[in-house]
Amino acid sequence: MARTLFISDLHLSAERAAANEALFAFLEERVPGSNALYILGDLFEYWIGDDDLSDPFHAIVAGFFARTVQAGTPMYLMHGNRDFLIGDAFCAAAQVTRLEDPTVLDLFGTPTLLMHGDTLCTDDTSYMDWRRTCRAPAWQQEFLSQPLTARRAQMLQWRAQSEAGKQNKSAQVMDVNATAVIDALNAHQCRRLIHGHTHRPGRHALEINHQTAERIVLADWYTQGSFLEVTAQGCRQHTLAFI
Ligand code: MN
């Protein structure tokens, strides 16, 4: 049966071996035979530039992806807020195709809006300000021109600041804004949205202009793995135990 798979928010790093092993097993055991695998952002805990591919862990991940694609399942990668600096060199090594955020995908006849999800969190104004800053080409050029060690130190500092900042933000502020969700679905004439980012997996029924709509939120890979499987019959979330 034709099936399309979605994952997000793996937050991979060399230190989290259980998540890495679960991903590699997923790619070898669950992905073959599917139509496509979509990664909707935050594949990595952070990404400081494709020249960091010399890190053996990054090369291992790229190798698993390339083998998956060669075995017959195309893979698509959307940037998240942690790994928005993933560029052409990583995608070429991993043989994955970059996906814009947002992207509309025809999924078995249902136009489906794919997003990472951070742009829906419009109540978090300090994050939205930071996003505008770090997504500007001039800012990225300046950051990438620094030596790897300086970039890593800077990124770790931002992460610490971000974690500290979250202590002062309510859960509601860090979730999606209901109006932003409806606006995004209307702008792209979709009635189904799949996103990650919030780490609040779920399936939410919506009503827009007297039509039913739905928002599916993918799970993170902190304590277990997870993927969404979509077929012509519908959507199903699966979990993957960490060993
Ligand atoms: Mn995110």
Side-chain angles (χ1 to χ4, degrees):
M1 184 173 38
R3 56 201 188 93
T4 302
L5 309 181
F6 297 86
I7 56 178
S8 75
D9 301 281
L10 292 86
H11 292 262
L12 297 182
S13 71
E15 294 79 45
R16 291 180 55 242
N20 303 335
E21 292 305 322
L23 171 64
F24 301 151
F26 167 67
L27 292 170
E28 290 184 329
E29 294 161 17
R30 309 297 288 269
V31 173
S34 59
N35 295 11
L37 171 61
Y38 289 83
I39 304 171
L40 300 186
D42 287 354
L43 169 65
F44 291 106
E45 175 67 7
Y46 64 92
W47 193 260
I48 55 174
D50 284 3
D51 47 343
D52 205 20
L53 263 178
S54 52
D55 181 320
F57 171 65
H58 296 154
I60 289 168
V61 173
F64 268 96
F65 285 7
R67 282 193 292 283
T68 302
V69 174
Q70 282 162 18
T73 304
M75 289 182 60
Y76 300 89
L77 178 68
M78 185 179 280
H79 281 156
N81 54 301
R82 302 298 199 106
D83 54 11
F84 60 89
L85 288 171
I86 290 178
D88 293 342
F90 175 79
C91 291
Q95 298 185 26
V96 301
T97 304
R98 269 276 317 282
L99 262 195
E100 290 304 316
D101 181 1
T103 287
V104 177
L105 176 68
D106 182 334
L107 260 181
F108 306 102
T110 301
T112 303
L113 185 61
L114 308 179
M115 305 176 82
H116 176 56
D118 56 330
T119 55
L120 298 169
C121 301
T122 53
D123 295 330
D124 190 349
T125 52
S126 61
Y127 170 69
M128 295 305 276
D129 286 345
W130 160 247
R131 191 181 195 282
R132 266 186 294 278
T133 299
C134 68
R135 297 300 178 102
W139 182 94
Q140 296 192 1
Q141 214 170 17
E142 153 69 18
F143 181 75
L144 291 171
S145 71
Q146 296 171 42
L148 268 175
T149 47
R151 275 180 267 159
R152 187 170 291 110
Q154 178 70 78
M155 188 64 83
L156 292 173
Q157 194 188 328
W158 283 326
R159 270 175 66 212
Q161 281 169 0
S162 159
E163 290 306 314
K166 279 183 194 169
Q167 309 303 319
N168 303 317
K169 291 178 185 175
S170 70
Q172 198 185 338
V173 159
M174 289 191 290
D175 201 357
V176 297
N177 174 285
T179 306
V181 168
I182 290 170
D183 288 349
L185 282 164
N186 278 336
H188 296 91
Q189 300 183 312
C190 290
R191 290 295 173 263
R192 182 162 70 191
L193 166 64
I194 300 174
H195 72 84
H197 180 67
T198 60
H199 300 208
R200 294 177 190 202
R203 198 166 172 177
H204 305 272
L206 307 167
E207 201 190 290
I208 306 176
N209 302 332
H210 308 292
Q211 284 182 295
T212 57
E214 70 173 334
R215 178 171 72 91
I216 298 167
V217 190
L218 303 176
D220 65 57
W221 285 51
Y222 280 152
T223 55
Q224 61 181 7
S226 170
F227 68 98
L228 175 75
E229 178 182 54
V230 182
T231 66
Q233 275 69 49
C235 304
R236 203 176 138 200
Q237 300 253 26
H238 298 262
T239 58
L240 303 161
F242 284 178
I243 298 154

